[in-house]
Amino acid sequence: GRGAGDVVGVGIAGSNDHVYVWYDDGTVSSGTSQDLDAYQAPRSYTLAAELLPPNNWVTGYRAMTVRHLVSHTAGFTRSGDTQAATVMFGLSESELGYRHVNQYVLRTRKLLFQPGSSSSYSNHGMGLAGHVLAEDGGMSYHDYIRSRILNPSSLSRIVATGHPLDDALDATPYRIDSNGDFVSLPNSAVSEPGPGLAAGGWSASAHDFIRLLLRTDRLTNVPDIMTAPTLRTMETRPFPATVSSKAHGWQITAKDKLWHNGLIGGGSAYVVRFPAGYIAGDGTNLSNITVAAFVNSDVGTGALNSLTSNLALIAGKASIPSTYDLP
């Protein structure tokens, strides 16, 4: 008789493969991952001390900033649970806003660490950053991005995930089955990600995505959508590498190469940007080269990293001037 909204924690004991599911009424179920359904009678329990003492996690929330959210150093992990939030608030998914998802997280999950002291990749942090932006802008997150960034830049082939690009070249999505074969998916299978919004909330053509990145490269041939100091901050680690290897929104390597990947059912994306003065191992100058590769199947990050690196080498050897603009 319990649903996702009643669960406050799940754990697996490595020593015996037992799964433990804790509920908000003070009971717990346990069993192995093969026979959990055989354990029907929950038992009473007392929760162990939280990962952070209560006074500290409250202090942590008060100290949290947007910079922590977009660099994955806020203390959150994983994604907000949309399904559980609908149960908790008695709403349909179409009625759910990201404030509900965040309230679910606040009620059921404590911070893993004090903001800025460590790193854990968190789609919830990104989703919450988008919610803050929408609250500050006085409009929905999607409307804010369209009105402030996409429309002024004439980027019509960047759309809310789940909506077609309205382009004859829009590709059919595929998944790869257990035999390694491609299986086509209906376009409806690539659905709107609910109120996740800032985490997986957009789909684009590689062409328009590169045009967007041209507006964030601090070069002079295309006007940028943010000031140069803001963009430099975006490309910089806010905390020492011992805390996090991430910049603001970007993943960043030791040589300051920026990259990020995206994955949704039936599609994968990868983008890499090489900083000024970047020289490849074979001596090729890759300064200020940006490459995006989007494919209509679930391809691993390693393959797309290899593809974009090879494309960057080809571009570097072709001596394309930095003033070249896409049509």
Side-chain angles (χ1 to χ4, degrees), residues 21-327:
V21 181
W22 291 273
Y23 305 102
D24 58 6
D25 63 355
T27 58
V28 61
S29 292
S30 74
T32 68
S33 55
Q34 287 77 33
D35 62 3
L36 184 61
D37 58 348
Y39 293 75
Q40 297 294 328
R43 291 168 290 207
S44 297
Y45 73 94
T46 300
L47 272 177
E50 298 294 347
L51 291 170
L52 291 175
N55 290 339
N56 287 349
W57 71 256
V58 171
T59 302
Y61 277 115
R62 288 174 176 165
M64 193 181 298
T65 67
V66 172
R67 180 170 294 193
H68 293 121
L69 298 176
V70 299
S71 62
H72 303 282
T73 56
F76 297 121
T77 189
R78 299 174 286 125
S79 301
D81 192 328
T82 301
Q83 180 186 4
T86 62
V87 174
M88 175 175 282
F89 293 99
L91 300 172
S92 68
E93 192 163 320
S94 62
E95 297 172 310
L96 204 69
Y98 208 80
R99 66 184 179 88
H100 299 109
V101 178
N102 185 49
Q103 287 172 7
Y104 173 82
V105 171
L106 293 176
R107 293 183 184 185
T108 61
R109 303 178 191 171
K110 299 300 187 288
L111 296 178
L112 296 180
F113 47 81
Q114 289 288 346
S117 66
S118 188
S119 176
S120 179
Y121 197 93
S122 172
N123 283 330
H124 174 60
M126 280 294 182
L128 184 54
H131 173 59
V132 170
L133 186 145
E135 289 288 302
D136 183 65
M139 63 185 78
S140 74
Y141 169 76
H142 277 132
D143 286 345
Y144 186 97
I145 297 299
R146 290 189 189 99
S147 64
R148 300 294 184 90
I149 297 176
L150 302 183
N151 293 342
S153 302
S154 300
L155 299 174
S156 60
R157 291 190 292 180
I158 299 180
V159 299
T161 298
H163 294 261
L165 295 177
D166 194 24
D167 188 327
L169 298 179
D170 198 6
T172 299
Y174 286 84
R175 67 176 177 86
I176 302 175
D177 66 15
S178 58
N179 296 321
D181 297 324
F182 287 95
V183 179
S184 63
L185 297 170
N187 284 322
S188 59
V190 185
S191 59
E192 181 83 24
L197 304 181
W202 299 96
S203 298
S205 68
H207 183 280
D208 264 21
F209 192 73
I210 283 289
R211 292 177 64 208
L212 173 63
L213 292 176
L214 289 175
R215 288 157 174 78
T216 64
D217 62 6
R218 291 187 279 124
L219 300 178
T220 59
N221 52 310
V222 177
D224 287 333
I225 57 177
M226 290 180 277
T227 65
T230 298
L231 290 169
R232 277 193 292 271
T233 297
M234 184 177 174
E235 298 168 2
T236 304
R237 294 181 185 87
F239 304 102
T242 53
V243 170
S244 175
S245 62
K246 300 172 180 63
H248 298 85
W250 285 103
Q251 307 274 19
I252 185 170
T253 70
K255 294 176 65 176
D256 292 335
K257 181 178 75 173
L258 303 171
W259 67 275
H260 213 289
N261 65 311
L263 175 66
I264 195 166
S268 306
Y270 192 92
V271 61
V272 60
R273 169 175 284 167
F274 295 88
Y278 192 103
I279 305 299
D282 66 355
T284 304
N285 186 348
L286 303 182
S287 292
N288 299 316
I289 289 178
T290 300
V291 181
F294 293 6
V295 296
N296 58 328
S297 61
D298 298 345
V299 176
T301 299
L304 292 180
N305 174 49
S306 178
L307 173 62
T308 52
S309 295
N310 288 332
L311 290 172
L313 287 171
I314 293 170
K317 295 179 190 305
S319 301
I320 299 173
S322 61
T323 54
Y324 175 81
D325 196 10
L326 290 170

